[in-house]
Amino acid sequence: MKAGCSIVEKPEGGGGYQFPDWAYKTESSPGSRQIQLWHFILELLQKEEFRHVIAWQQGEYGEFVIKDPDEVARLWGRRKCKPQMNYDKLSRALRYYYNKRILHKTKGKRFTYKFNFSKLVMPNYPFINIRSSGVVPQSAPPVPTASSRFHFPPLDTHSPTSDVQPGRFSAGSLTAAGQESSNGTDRKVELSELEDGSAPDWRRGVDLMSSRSAVSGGGMGHQKRKPDIMLPLFTRPGMYPDPQSPFAVSPIPGRGFNVPISPALSLTPTIFSYSPSPGLSPFTSSSCFSFNPEEMKHYLHSQACSVFNYHLSPRTFPRFPGFMVPPLQCQVHPEEPSQFSIKLQPPPVGRKNRERVESSEEAAPVTVTSMAPVPPRIKVEPTPERDPEGLRQSAQEKEELTQEAGAVPSRTTEEGKGTVFARPAAPPVWPSVPIGTPSEEPLEVSEDSEDRTGKEPSVPEKKEDALMPPKLRLKRRWNDDPEARELSKSGKFLWNGSCGGDFLRKAMKTLKPALIPWSYPCCFTDWQTSPCVNLPIMSDGYKD
DNA sequence: TCCGGAAGTA
DNA sequence: TACTTCCGGA
């Protein structure tokens, strides 16, 4: 380590407050103790002393302008012990944030960038732990006053980097440090303090979430936190004394709803129907990383509803283990018409229901809508790269999936509310003889289905058919089928059009059932071009 | 001025 | 992995 250049951004041994580990490393960079550039940028932005160097841009939340690129680079270089640092290099590092969606460039404005807080902040929102009363738990440690600070609560316990040491952010130590931080010294931050990492005040933030252990019974340690928090309603909006700042002041004076931020982000594109207006005022007495809970609630709910209503992959939903969205409240409101042209259809019937439907349909045809009473469920997008074997719906896999889905807001069967983000049960064995299937036509049994059933007599498939993707095979079948052609002519059923459950039943009657996707009907709406295109799962091990 | 590839580093 | 360094190109 070079003298005068502190690499150790996080002094061990209790020298005041510090970022939790995740602030220094991403999930994929365990061990790194270096502060990240975006932290540093935020740090600079927070300090009035550096307003002539870097400052929030007027007009847009999260947008900032580097007024003195050389100086910023110099500061960064000092922090990182890279005396050769310059703006060119720094900006290269910033550009790497584009892909991570932490930052993006404001085009047309020199040296102007913008934080992407929807990505930066949201994945960590579950840390917010607010009592239904809307009051910070009594166990929450006191917050130092008159200091601007970044707040970095402990790691998400779901995060692999969660190595929060018990007591590190304990209320007691925080209290002590809080007092330490408010020891009467001028709040004007010395440059050296900023640069050498010697307990800058943003490290003295109070970890409200440390109190969540108290709230949830204490002694949490590394245990997974049960999704036991619901975001309460707040009638008091956050204040935004600094309109350029993307951070909000806590609605509770001195005790913000501190939201951790993490650069460890999913790159999965997410459709947000609502964006919060996070804000922070570095220059007020409660300038933690704070967010207006009401907005956040709205935001999270919107997002959850997006997942729910639009059958998005739960992967598009940030990790909010504690956030539950009542399904019934996830209807698409008329006043908020969907911006998507996707035709939503009722979820598919489960295996039992499907069998029931099948049997009853022999007596009297039923329409999909008649199956509607099935309680809505959220589909789980199958992993595209999943091995065909993985499509077998073993109980084990279902359990894994349930665990997987546990990372997203969901009601699990554990909770007795029915699986929400649960994968539909795939029939382990499809009817061996499709109803109405022309018997002269040998069944197409793919290798996968053969594997799957292990019992069905294997009928050699035409080589060309075998090489054909299941989807095309199904299409060919469909097109070859006279009844299907009739239906198509009538405009009632189109291969690429709205087929829905009728298509499914038709297909089940006339085509090789093993090739019929057992996933959700919504996928059929336009399953060749819609976003659901990846959703159909061929029961015989659809793979693409 | 900005971008992004490529290679190197800790 | 998160930059750092270098560089050619727009």
Side-chain angles (χ1 to χ4, degrees), chain A residues 509-543:
Chain A
K509 278 192 170 183
T510 60
L511 306 174
K512 168 79 176 74
L515 293 178
I516 297 168
W518 54 265
S519 187
Y520 289 94
C522 71
C523 307
F524 308 149
T525 301
D526 190 3
W527 67 318
Q528 294 231 335
T529 58
S530 78
C532 295
V533 68
N534 290 325
L535 295 175
I537 303 170
M538 295 302 177
S539 63
D540 65 340
Y542 171 80
K543 50 186 176 185

PDB file of all heavy atoms in Angstrom, chain A residues 509-543:
ATOM      1  N   LYS A 509     -56.403 -33.015 -29.930  1.00  0.00           N
ATOM      2  CA  LYS A 509     -57.244 -34.009 -30.590  1.00  0.00           C
ATOM      3  C   LYS A 509     -56.604 -34.543 -31.849  1.00  0.00           C
ATOM      4  O   LYS A 509     -56.747 -35.705 -32.183  1.00  0.00           O
ATOM      5  CB  LYS A 509     -58.596 -33.390 -30.949  1.00  0.00           C
ATOM      6  CG  LYS A 509     -59.565 -33.382 -29.790  1.00  0.00           C
ATOM      7  CD  LYS A 509     -60.946 -33.026 -30.317  1.00  0.00           C
ATOM      8  CE  LYS A 509     -62.003 -33.246 -29.242  1.00  0.00           C
ATOM      9  NZ  LYS A 509     -63.349 -32.976 -29.760  1.00  0.00           N
ATOM     10  N   THR A 510     -55.979 -33.676 -32.531  1.00  0.00           N
ATOM     11  CA  THR A 510     -55.559 -34.073 -33.858  1.00  0.00           C
ATOM     12  C   THR A 510     -54.060 -34.275 -33.988  1.00  0.00           C
ATOM     13  O   THR A 510     -53.617 -34.868 -34.948  1.00  0.00           O
ATOM     14  CB  THR A 510     -55.958 -33.002 -34.873  1.00  0.00           C
ATOM     15  OG1 THR A 510     -55.315 -31.781 -34.509  1.00  0.00           O
ATOM     16  CG2 THR A 510     -57.446 -32.789 -34.874  1.00  0.00           C
ATOM     17  N   LEU A 511     -53.336 -33.780 -33.075  1.00  0.00           N
ATOM     18  CA  LEU A 511     -51.892 -33.858 -33.226  1.00  0.00           C
ATOM     19  C   LEU A 511     -51.291 -34.738 -32.159  1.00  0.00           C
ATOM     20  O   LEU A 511     -51.962 -35.176 -31.234  1.00  0.00           O
ATOM     21  CB  LEU A 511     -51.293 -32.461 -33.164  1.00  0.00           C
ATOM     22  CG  LEU A 511     -51.902 -31.465 -34.147  1.00  0.00           C
ATOM     23  CD1 LEU A 511     -51.336 -30.098 -33.896  1.00  0.00           C
ATOM     24  CD2 LEU A 511     -51.646 -31.905 -35.572  1.00  0.00           C
ATOM     25  N   LYS A 512     -50.058 -34.883 -32.330  1.00  0.00           N
ATOM     26  CA  LYS A 512     -49.340 -35.673 -31.338  1.00  0.00           C
ATOM     27  C   LYS A 512     -49.337 -34.900 -30.022  1.00  0.00           C
ATOM     28  O   LYS A 512     -48.748 -33.830 -29.919  1.00  0.00           O
ATOM     29  CB  LYS A 512     -47.917 -35.883 -31.826  1.00  0.00           C
ATOM     30  CG  LYS A 512     -46.991 -36.440 -30.783  1.00  0.00           C
ATOM     31  CD  LYS A 512     -47.200 -37.926 -30.641  1.00  0.00           C
ATOM     32  CE  LYS A 512     -46.193 -38.479 -29.655  1.00  0.00           C
ATOM     33  NZ  LYS A 512     -46.551 -38.124 -28.299  1.00  0.00           N
ATOM     34  N   PRO A 513     -49.981 -35.447 -29.064  1.00  0.00           N
ATOM     35  CA  PRO A 513     -50.072 -34.693 -27.811  1.00  0.00           C
ATOM     36  C   PRO A 513     -48.703 -34.381 -27.231  1.00  0.00           C
ATOM     37  O   PRO A 513     -48.520 -33.365 -26.591  1.00  0.00           O
ATOM     38  CB  PRO A 513     -50.840 -35.637 -26.890  1.00  0.00           C
ATOM     39  CG  PRO A 513     -51.493 -36.607 -27.788  1.00  0.00           C
ATOM     40  CD  PRO A 513     -50.643 -36.734 -29.005  1.00  0.00           C
ATOM     41  N   ALA A 514     -47.816 -35.274 -27.469  1.00  0.00           N
ATOM     42  CA  ALA A 514     -46.504 -35.073 -26.854  1.00  0.00           C
ATOM     43  C   ALA A 514     -45.819 -33.837 -27.397  1.00  0.00           C
ATOM     44  O   ALA A 514     -44.833 -33.381 -26.846  1.00  0.00           O
ATOM     45  CB  ALA A 514     -45.624 -36.293 -27.081  1.00  0.00           C
ATOM     46  N   LEU A 515     -46.341 -33.324 -28.486  1.00  0.00           N
ATOM     47  CA  LEU A 515     -45.705 -32.145 -29.052  1.00  0.00           C
ATOM     48  C   LEU A 515     -46.437 -30.868 -28.677  1.00  0.00           C
ATOM     49  O   LEU A 515     -46.076 -29.787 -29.089  1.00  0.00           O
ATOM     50  CB  LEU A 515     -45.635 -32.263 -30.565  1.00  0.00           C
ATOM     51  CG  LEU A 515     -44.714 -33.362 -31.059  1.00  0.00           C
ATOM     52  CD1 LEU A 515     -44.764 -33.429 -32.564  1.00  0.00           C
ATOM     53  CD2 LEU A 515     -43.306 -33.124 -30.586  1.00  0.00           C
ATOM     54  N   ILE A 516     -47.466 -31.059 -27.953  1.00  0.00           N
ATOM     55  CA  ILE A 516     -48.251 -29.881 -27.602  1.00  0.00           C
ATOM     56  C   ILE A 516     -47.647 -29.206 -26.386  1.00  0.00           C
ATOM     57  O   ILE A 516     -47.339 -29.855 -25.402  1.00  0.00           O
ATOM     58  CB  ILE A 516     -49.699 -30.281 -27.295  1.00  0.00           C
ATOM     59  CG1 ILE A 516     -50.313 -30.865 -28.563  1.00  0.00           C
ATOM     60  CG2 ILE A 516     -50.484 -29.075 -26.813  1.00  0.00           C
ATOM     61  CD1 ILE A 516     -51.607 -31.548 -28.315  1.00  0.00           C
ATOM     62  N   PRO A 517     -47.477 -27.972 -26.501  1.00  0.00           N
ATOM     63  CA  PRO A 517     -46.947 -27.276 -25.334  1.00  0.00           C
ATOM     64  C   PRO A 517     -47.934 -27.364 -24.194  1.00  0.00           C
ATOM     65  O   PRO A 517     -49.120 -27.154 -24.385  1.00  0.00           O
ATOM     66  CB  PRO A 517     -46.773 -25.833 -25.811  1.00  0.00           C
ATOM     67  CG  PRO A 517     -47.574 -25.730 -27.044  1.00  0.00           C
ATOM     68  CD  PRO A 517     -47.725 -27.093 -27.618  1.00  0.00           C
ATOM     69  N   TRP A 518     -47.408 -27.666 -23.079  1.00  0.00           N
ATOM     70  CA  TRP A 518     -48.293 -27.732 -21.920  1.00  0.00           C
ATOM     71  C   TRP A 518     -48.197 -26.475 -21.097  1.00  0.00           C
ATOM     72  O   TRP A 518     -48.773 -26.368 -20.044  1.00  0.00           O
ATOM     73  CB  TRP A 518     -47.970 -28.945 -21.063  1.00  0.00           C
ATOM     74  CG  TRP A 518     -46.553 -29.048 -20.638  1.00  0.00           C
ATOM     75  CD1 TRP A 518     -45.572 -29.752 -21.246  1.00  0.00           C
ATOM     76  CD2 TRP A 518     -45.945 -28.406 -19.518  1.00  0.00           C
ATOM     77  NE1 TRP A 518     -44.406 -29.601 -20.579  1.00  0.00           N
ATOM     78  CE2 TRP A 518     -44.584 -28.782 -19.520  1.00  0.00           C
ATOM     79  CE3 TRP A 518     -46.414 -27.554 -18.510  1.00  0.00           C
ATOM     80  CZ2 TRP A 518     -43.697 -28.336 -18.564  1.00  0.00           C
ATOM     81  CZ3 TRP A 518     -45.526 -27.108 -17.566  1.00  0.00           C
ATOM     82  CH2 TRP A 518     -44.179 -27.503 -17.597  1.00  0.00           C
ATOM     83  N   SER A 519     -47.464 -25.555 -21.625  1.00  0.00           N
ATOM     84  CA  SER A 519     -47.363 -24.299 -20.896  1.00  0.00           C
ATOM     85  C   SER A 519     -48.658 -23.533 -21.062  1.00  0.00           C
ATOM     86  O   SER A 519     -49.672 -24.058 -21.488  1.00  0.00           O
ATOM     87  CB  SER A 519     -46.184 -23.489 -21.400  1.00  0.00           C
ATOM     88  OG  SER A 519     -46.015 -22.372 -20.577  1.00  0.00           O
ATOM     89  N   TYR A 520     -48.597 -22.273 -20.820  1.00  0.00           N
ATOM     90  CA  TYR A 520     -49.831 -21.522 -20.704  1.00  0.00           C
ATOM     91  C   TYR A 520     -50.394 -21.074 -22.037  1.00  0.00           C
ATOM     92  O   TYR A 520     -49.671 -20.737 -22.947  1.00  0.00           O
ATOM     93  CB  TYR A 520     -49.605 -20.320 -19.816  1.00  0.00           C
ATOM     94  CG  TYR A 520     -49.427 -20.718 -18.413  1.00  0.00           C
ATOM     95  CD1 TYR A 520     -48.162 -20.927 -17.904  1.00  0.00           C
ATOM     96  CD2 TYR A 520     -50.522 -20.942 -17.601  1.00  0.00           C
ATOM     97  CE1 TYR A 520     -47.988 -21.324 -16.602  1.00  0.00           C
ATOM     98  CE2 TYR A 520     -50.356 -21.332 -16.298  1.00  0.00           C
ATOM     99  CZ  TYR A 520     -49.100 -21.527 -15.799  1.00  0.00           C
ATOM    100  OH  TYR A 520     -48.931 -21.922 -14.523  1.00  0.00           O
ATOM    101  N   PRO A 521     -51.681 -21.066 -22.087  1.00  0.00           N
ATOM    102  CA  PRO A 521     -52.342 -20.656 -23.321  1.00  0.00           C
ATOM    103  C   PRO A 521     -51.942 -19.272 -23.768  1.00  0.00           C
ATOM    104  O   PRO A 521     -51.961 -18.970 -24.944  1.00  0.00           O
ATOM    105  CB  PRO A 521     -53.831 -20.683 -22.960  1.00  0.00           C
ATOM    106  CG  PRO A 521     -53.933 -21.599 -21.815  1.00  0.00           C
ATOM    107  CD  PRO A 521     -52.646 -21.494 -21.064  1.00  0.00           C
ATOM    108  N   CYS A 522     -51.600 -18.449 -22.806  1.00  0.00           N
ATOM    109  CA  CYS A 522     -51.271 -17.084 -23.197  1.00  0.00           C
ATOM    110  C   CYS A 522     -50.111 -17.087 -24.182  1.00  0.00           C
ATOM    111  O   CYS A 522     -49.937 -16.162 -24.950  1.00  0.00           O
ATOM    112  CB  CYS A 522     -50.908 -16.235 -21.994  1.00  0.00           C
ATOM    113  SG  CYS A 522     -49.343 -16.661 -21.267  1.00  0.00           S
ATOM    114  N   CYS A 523     -49.388 -18.144 -24.129  1.00  0.00           N
ATOM    115  CA  CYS A 523     -48.253 -18.214 -25.028  1.00  0.00           C
ATOM    116  C   CYS A 523     -48.697 -18.428 -26.467  1.00  0.00           C
ATOM    117  O   CYS A 523     -47.950 -18.171 -27.388  1.00  0.00           O
ATOM    118  CB  CYS A 523     -47.343 -19.353 -24.631  1.00  0.00           C
ATOM    119  SG  CYS A 523     -46.860 -19.279 -22.925  1.00  0.00           S
ATOM    120  N   PHE A 524     -49.877 -18.928 -26.590  1.00  0.00           N
ATOM    121  CA  PHE A 524     -50.287 -19.283 -27.940  1.00  0.00           C
ATOM    122  C   PHE A 524     -50.829 -18.088 -28.710  1.00  0.00           C
ATOM    123  O   PHE A 524     -51.049 -18.166 -29.902  1.00  0.00           O
ATOM    124  CB  PHE A 524     -51.365 -20.363 -27.912  1.00  0.00           C
ATOM    125  CG  PHE A 524     -50.984 -21.542 -27.089  1.00  0.00           C
ATOM    126  CD1 PHE A 524     -51.942 -22.264 -26.425  1.00  0.00           C
ATOM    127  CD2 PHE A 524     -49.671 -21.923 -26.971  1.00  0.00           C
ATOM    128  CE1 PHE A 524     -51.586 -23.351 -25.657  1.00  0.00           C
ATOM    129  CE2 PHE A 524     -49.306 -23.005 -26.206  1.00  0.00           C
ATOM    130  CZ  PHE A 524     -50.277 -23.726 -25.537  1.00  0.00           C
ATOM    131  N   THR A 525     -51.089 -17.079 -27.990  1.00  0.00           N
ATOM    132  CA  THR A 525     -51.683 -15.934 -28.640  1.00  0.00           C
ATOM    133  C   THR A 525     -50.902 -15.553 -29.887  1.00  0.00           C
ATOM    134  O   THR A 525     -51.434 -15.312 -30.943  1.00  0.00           O
ATOM    135  CB  THR A 525     -51.702 -14.746 -27.664  1.00  0.00           C
ATOM    136  OG1 THR A 525     -52.445 -15.136 -26.529  1.00  0.00           O
ATOM    137  CG2 THR A 525     -52.337 -13.549 -28.313  1.00  0.00           C
ATOM    138  N   ASP A 526     -49.663 -15.499 -29.683  1.00  0.00           N
ATOM    139  CA  ASP A 526     -48.818 -15.224 -30.830  1.00  0.00           C
ATOM    140  C   ASP A 526     -47.453 -15.786 -30.505  1.00  0.00           C
ATOM    141  O   ASP A 526     -46.492 -15.098 -30.379  1.00  0.00           O
ATOM    142  CB  ASP A 526     -48.721 -13.721 -31.089  1.00  0.00           C
ATOM    143  CG  ASP A 526     -48.057 -13.455 -32.422  1.00  0.00           C
ATOM    144  OD1 ASP A 526     -47.738 -14.417 -33.143  1.00  0.00           O
ATOM    145  OD2 ASP A 526     -47.850 -12.289 -32.727  1.00  0.00           O
ATOM    146  N   TRP A 527     -47.471 -17.030 -30.361  1.00  0.00           N
ATOM    147  CA  TRP A 527     -46.309 -17.622 -29.728  1.00  0.00           C
ATOM    148  C   TRP A 527     -45.107 -17.720 -30.638  1.00  0.00           C
ATOM    149  O   TRP A 527     -44.082 -18.219 -30.258  1.00  0.00           O
ATOM    150  CB  TRP A 527     -46.656 -18.959 -29.117  1.00  0.00           C
ATOM    151  CG  TRP A 527     -46.993 -20.027 -30.100  1.00  0.00           C
ATOM    152  CD1 TRP A 527     -47.752 -19.906 -31.207  1.00  0.00           C
ATOM    153  CD2 TRP A 527     -46.582 -21.374 -30.030  1.00  0.00           C
ATOM    154  NE1 TRP A 527     -47.856 -21.092 -31.820  1.00  0.00           N
ATOM    155  CE2 TRP A 527     -47.151 -22.022 -31.125  1.00  0.00           C
ATOM    156  CE3 TRP A 527     -45.809 -22.116 -29.146  1.00  0.00           C
ATOM    157  CZ2 TRP A 527     -46.952 -23.360 -31.360  1.00  0.00           C
ATOM    158  CZ3 TRP A 527     -45.618 -23.450 -29.383  1.00  0.00           C
ATOM    159  CH2 TRP A 527     -46.179 -24.068 -30.489  1.00  0.00           C
ATOM    160  N   GLN A 528     -45.269 -17.263 -31.828  1.00  0.00           N
ATOM    161  CA  GLN A 528     -44.075 -17.236 -32.668  1.00  0.00           C
ATOM    162  C   GLN A 528     -43.417 -15.871 -32.614  1.00  0.00           C
ATOM    163  O   GLN A 528     -42.253 -15.730 -32.930  1.00  0.00           O
ATOM    164  CB  GLN A 528     -44.454 -17.564 -34.104  1.00  0.00           C
ATOM    165  CG  GLN A 528     -44.943 -18.987 -34.239  1.00  0.00           C
ATOM    166  CD  GLN A 528     -44.226 -19.704 -35.341  1.00  0.00           C
ATOM    167  OE1 GLN A 528     -43.742 -19.069 -36.251  1.00  0.00           O
ATOM    168  NE2 GLN A 528     -44.146 -21.006 -35.267  1.00  0.00           N
ATOM    169  N   THR A 529     -44.206 -14.918 -32.268  1.00  0.00           N
ATOM    170  CA  THR A 529     -43.623 -13.580 -32.297  1.00  0.00           C
ATOM    171  C   THR A 529     -43.758 -12.833 -30.991  1.00  0.00           C
ATOM    172  O   THR A 529     -43.099 -11.844 -30.789  1.00  0.00           O
ATOM    173  CB  THR A 529     -44.309 -12.730 -33.378  1.00  0.00           C
ATOM    174  OG1 THR A 529     -45.709 -12.694 -33.083  1.00  0.00           O
ATOM    175  CG2 THR A 529     -44.094 -13.307 -34.740  1.00  0.00           C
ATOM    176  N   SER A 530     -44.594 -13.324 -30.159  1.00  0.00           N
ATOM    177  CA  SER A 530     -44.813 -12.578 -28.926  1.00  0.00           C
ATOM    178  C   SER A 530     -43.652 -12.785 -27.977  1.00  0.00           C
ATOM    179  O   SER A 530     -42.820 -13.656 -28.162  1.00  0.00           O
ATOM    180  CB  SER A 530     -46.092 -13.056 -28.259  1.00  0.00           C
ATOM    181  OG  SER A 530     -45.839 -14.284 -27.602  1.00  0.00           O
ATOM    182  N   PRO A 531     -43.625 -11.953 -26.948  1.00  0.00           N
ATOM    183  CA  PRO A 531     -42.584 -12.136 -25.952  1.00  0.00           C
ATOM    184  C   PRO A 531     -42.674 -13.480 -25.273  1.00  0.00           C
ATOM    185  O   PRO A 531     -41.773 -13.887 -24.585  1.00  0.00           O
ATOM    186  CB  PRO A 531     -42.866 -11.002 -24.949  1.00  0.00           C
ATOM    187  CG  PRO A 531     -43.661 -10.007 -25.707  1.00  0.00           C
ATOM    188  CD  PRO A 531     -44.440 -10.783 -26.711  1.00  0.00           C
ATOM    189  N   CYS A 532     -43.790 -14.107 -25.450  1.00  0.00           N
ATOM    190  CA  CYS A 532     -43.939 -15.409 -24.818  1.00  0.00           C
ATOM    191  C   CYS A 532     -43.338 -16.515 -25.673  1.00  0.00           C
ATOM    192  O   CYS A 532     -43.508 -17.672 -25.377  1.00  0.00           O
ATOM    193  CB  CYS A 532     -45.411 -15.719 -24.591  1.00  0.00           C
ATOM    194  SG  CYS A 532     -46.179 -14.613 -23.419  1.00  0.00           S
ATOM    195  N   VAL A 533     -42.685 -16.113 -26.700  1.00  0.00           N
ATOM    196  CA  VAL A 533     -42.259 -17.110 -27.674  1.00  0.00           C
ATOM    197  C   VAL A 533     -41.433 -18.218 -27.048  1.00  0.00           C
ATOM    198  O   VAL A 533     -41.442 -19.346 -27.499  1.00  0.00           O
ATOM    199  CB  VAL A 533     -41.458 -16.432 -28.803  1.00  0.00           C
ATOM    200  CG1 VAL A 533     -40.148 -15.920 -28.281  1.00  0.00           C
ATOM    201  CG2 VAL A 533     -41.252 -17.386 -29.955  1.00  0.00           C
ATOM    202  N   ASN A 534     -40.782 -17.910 -25.987  1.00  0.00           N
ATOM    203  CA  ASN A 534     -39.938 -18.927 -25.375  1.00  0.00           C
ATOM    204  C   ASN A 534     -40.692 -19.773 -24.364  1.00  0.00           C
ATOM    205  O   ASN A 534     -40.125 -20.658 -23.777  1.00  0.00           O
ATOM    206  CB  ASN A 534     -38.756 -18.268 -24.675  1.00  0.00           C
ATOM    207  CG  ASN A 534     -37.808 -17.691 -25.677  1.00  0.00           C
ATOM    208  OD1 ASN A 534     -37.627 -18.260 -26.744  1.00  0.00           O
ATOM    209  ND2 ASN A 534     -37.231 -16.560 -25.356  1.00  0.00           N
ATOM    210  N   LEU A 535     -41.930 -19.428 -24.200  1.00  0.00           N
ATOM    211  CA  LEU A 535     -42.610 -20.058 -23.090  1.00  0.00           C
ATOM    212  C   LEU A 535     -43.110 -21.466 -23.354  1.00  0.00           C
ATOM    213  O   LEU A 535     -43.072 -22.287 -22.468  1.00  0.00           O
ATOM    214  CB  LEU A 535     -43.773 -19.171 -22.651  1.00  0.00           C
ATOM    215  CG  LEU A 535     -43.299 -17.847 -22.106  1.00  0.00           C
ATOM    216  CD1 LEU A 535     -44.478 -16.950 -21.805  1.00  0.00           C
ATOM    217  CD2 LEU A 535     -42.477 -18.062 -20.858  1.00  0.00           C
ATOM    218  N   PRO A 536     -43.586 -21.731 -24.532  1.00  0.00           N
ATOM    219  CA  PRO A 536     -44.134 -23.066 -24.710  1.00  0.00           C
ATOM    220  C   PRO A 536     -43.112 -24.156 -24.394  1.00  0.00           C
ATOM    221  O   PRO A 536     -41.957 -24.059 -24.747  1.00  0.00           O
ATOM    222  CB  PRO A 536     -44.502 -23.107 -26.195  1.00  0.00           C
ATOM    223  CG  PRO A 536     -44.692 -21.697 -26.550  1.00  0.00           C
ATOM    224  CD  PRO A 536     -43.718 -20.931 -25.734  1.00  0.00           C
ATOM    225  N   ILE A 537     -43.591 -25.084 -23.713  1.00  0.00           N
ATOM    226  CA  ILE A 537     -42.722 -26.196 -23.375  1.00  0.00           C
ATOM    227  C   ILE A 537     -43.311 -27.444 -23.981  1.00  0.00           C
ATOM    228  O   ILE A 537     -44.438 -27.811 -23.690  1.00  0.00           O
ATOM    229  CB  ILE A 537     -42.626 -26.369 -21.856  1.00  0.00           C
ATOM    230  CG1 ILE A 537     -42.138 -25.079 -21.227  1.00  0.00           C
ATOM    231  CG2 ILE A 537     -41.729 -27.533 -21.501  1.00  0.00           C
ATOM    232  CD1 ILE A 537     -42.247 -25.085 -19.731  1.00  0.00           C
ATOM    233  N   MET A 538     -42.583 -28.063 -24.801  1.00  0.00           N
ATOM    234  CA  MET A 538     -43.066 -29.301 -25.374  1.00  0.00           C
ATOM    235  C   MET A 538     -42.951 -30.389 -24.320  1.00  0.00           C
ATOM    236  O   MET A 538     -41.939 -30.534 -23.663  1.00  0.00           O
ATOM    237  CB  MET A 538     -42.247 -29.673 -26.600  1.00  0.00           C
ATOM    238  CG  MET A 538     -42.412 -28.683 -27.737  1.00  0.00           C
ATOM    239  SD  MET A 538     -44.129 -28.528 -28.229  1.00  0.00           S
ATOM    240  CE  MET A 538     -43.996 -27.277 -29.483  1.00  0.00           C
ATOM    241  N   SER A 539     -44.012 -31.093 -24.230  1.00  0.00           N
ATOM    242  CA  SER A 539     -44.009 -32.095 -23.174  1.00  0.00           C
ATOM    243  C   SER A 539     -42.957 -33.162 -23.435  1.00  0.00           C
ATOM    244  O   SER A 539     -42.568 -33.878 -22.543  1.00  0.00           O
ATOM    245  CB  SER A 539     -45.381 -32.750 -23.093  1.00  0.00           C
ATOM    246  OG  SER A 539     -45.642 -33.429 -24.296  1.00  0.00           O
ATOM    247  N   ASP A 540     -42.555 -33.234 -24.650  1.00  0.00           N
ATOM    248  CA  ASP A 540     -41.556 -34.260 -24.918  1.00  0.00           C
ATOM    249  C   ASP A 540     -40.162 -33.683 -24.827  1.00  0.00           C
ATOM    250  O   ASP A 540     -39.214 -34.227 -25.349  1.00  0.00           O
ATOM    251  CB  ASP A 540     -41.774 -34.878 -26.299  1.00  0.00           C
ATOM    252  CG  ASP A 540     -41.555 -33.868 -27.395  1.00  0.00           C
ATOM    253  OD1 ASP A 540     -41.613 -32.667 -27.099  1.00  0.00           O
ATOM    254  OD2 ASP A 540     -41.318 -34.283 -28.525  1.00  0.00           O
ATOM    255  N   GLY A 541     -40.076 -32.596 -24.196  1.00  0.00           N
ATOM    256  CA  GLY A 541     -38.759 -32.027 -24.012  1.00  0.00           C
ATOM    257  C   GLY A 541     -38.448 -31.015 -25.077  1.00  0.00           C
ATOM    258  O   GLY A 541     -37.480 -31.126 -25.818  1.00  0.00           O
ATOM    259  N   TYR A 542     -39.286 -30.053 -25.151  1.00  0.00           N
ATOM    260  CA  TYR A 542     -39.067 -29.004 -26.140  1.00  0.00           C
ATOM    261  C   TYR A 542     -37.708 -28.378 -25.942  1.00  0.00           C
ATOM    262  O   TYR A 542     -37.301 -28.028 -24.865  1.00  0.00           O
ATOM    263  CB  TYR A 542     -40.150 -27.948 -25.990  1.00  0.00           C
ATOM    264  CG  TYR A 542     -39.900 -26.714 -26.808  1.00  0.00           C
ATOM    265  CD1 TYR A 542     -40.195 -26.718 -28.159  1.00  0.00           C
ATOM    266  CD2 TYR A 542     -39.340 -25.581 -26.238  1.00  0.00           C
ATOM    267  CE1 TYR A 542     -39.972 -25.595 -28.917  1.00  0.00           C
ATOM    268  CE2 TYR A 542     -39.110 -24.457 -26.988  1.00  0.00           C
ATOM    269  CZ  TYR A 542     -39.425 -24.469 -28.328  1.00  0.00           C
ATOM    270  OH  TYR A 542     -39.197 -23.349 -29.072  1.00  0.00           O
ATOM    271  N   LYS A 543     -37.038 -28.302 -27.002  1.00  0.00           N
ATOM    272  CA  LYS A 543     -35.742 -27.633 -26.902  1.00  0.00           C
ATOM    273  C   LYS A 543     -35.499 -26.873 -28.190  1.00  0.00           C
ATOM    274  O   LYS A 543     -35.856 -27.323 -29.270  1.00  0.00           O
ATOM    275  CB  LYS A 543     -34.633 -28.636 -26.660  1.00  0.00           C
ATOM    276  CG  LYS A 543     -34.652 -29.801 -27.629  1.00  0.00           C
ATOM    277  CD  LYS A 543     -33.628 -30.815 -27.230  1.00  0.00           C
ATOM    278  CE  LYS A 543     -33.717 -32.044 -28.140  1.00  0.00           C
ATOM    279  NZ  LYS A 543     -32.827 -33.109 -27.728  1.00  0.00           N
TER     280      LYS A 543
END
